[in-house]
Amino acid sequence: MLFIKDYYERSPSSGLWFCEYGQNLVGLIAIDASDPAHDWQPGKLLTRTQRAKDVASVAVIRHFYVMEKYRPVLIQDDLLAHAVKTAFEGSGTVERIEVTPPVLSTYVDESLRKHGFVVKEKTAELGILKWSQSKYELTREAWEKKKQ
């Protein structure tokens, strides 16, 4: 947590955004498009040229949460749209975005589907009721088609 800002600034296609209402934090989303092959050291700032090179072809949504009482106004859709746009337009290198949302987070599932994400694979069955967990993906091609 100490260098979270530095971590998400490694790539122009990555980011961490907070949604506030007045003085209250109501939601957040974080997308990581940094190339895992590049060595990152906490506290080390990268130049613009280095940041441009530190982009993977697959971005991952690492965190996505909106407080329950703000979900009916669909803040999650605005957060997701902004993160997806940043990932695809930030460098031009990202070809797809992946996310494995928490089980029973139907508001996240609905927002992902609304933005063109599709289930790539079922990753697990959890709990005694065997709740299904899925990995979603959105390709650049599908995003560009949806944008038109």
Side-chain angles (χ1 to χ4, degrees):
M1 290 293 287
L2 192 57
F3 296 101
I4 196 164
K5 181 177 179 279
D6 294 346
Y7 182 86
Y8 285 106
E9 286 183 347
R10 295 187 308 162
S11 157
S13 292
S14 296
L16 170 63
W17 299 275
F18 297 96
C19 183
E20 296 175 331
Y21 181 70
Q23 297 294 327
N24 300 315
L25 174 66
V26 300
L28 64 90
I29 192 165
I31 191 162
D32 182 8
S34 302
D35 188 345
H38 288 126
D39 190 27
W40 178 72
Q41 299 165 1
K44 180 184 174 191
L45 298 176
L46 301 176
T47 66
R48 182 173 286 196
T49 305
Q50 289 171 320
R51 286 180 64 222
K53 291 179 183 174
D54 190 16
V55 182
S57 62
V58 179
V60 178
I61 296 175
R62 301 235 182 256
H63 308 284
F64 188 13
Y65 178 76
V66 171
M67 290 179 61
E68 188 172 357
K69 71 180 187 177
Y70 296 97
R71 294 173 191 167
V73 295
L74 305 176
I75 290 172
Q76 58 273 18
D77 291 346
D78 295 336
L79 282 168
L80 183 59
H82 182 73
V84 166
K85 181 178 180 188
T86 299
F88 285 131
E89 292 181 354
S91 66
T93 305
V94 174
E95 289 301 318
R96 79 176 188 276
I97 301 170
E98 295 181 345
V99 59
T100 305
V103 173
L104 301 178
S105 59
T106 55
Y107 76 100
V108 173
D109 293 326
E110 289 169 9
S111 188
L112 291 170
R113 287 189 189 104
K114 211 181 291 183
H115 286 84
F117 282 80
V118 295
V119 174
K120 180 179 177 181
E121 64 181 288
K122 301 279 186 191
T123 57
E125 287 186 345
L126 304 170
I128 58 171
L129 296 178
K130 304 223 181 273
W131 292 305
S132 180
Q133 186 174 40
S134 301
K135 180 185 279 188
Y136 289 81
E137 80 169 8
L138 174 64
T139 63
R140 175 183 292 277
E141 181 181 352
W143 176 72
E144 287 174 347
K145 275 184 188 175
K146 192 163 179 64
K147 213 171 57 161
Q148 296 173 357

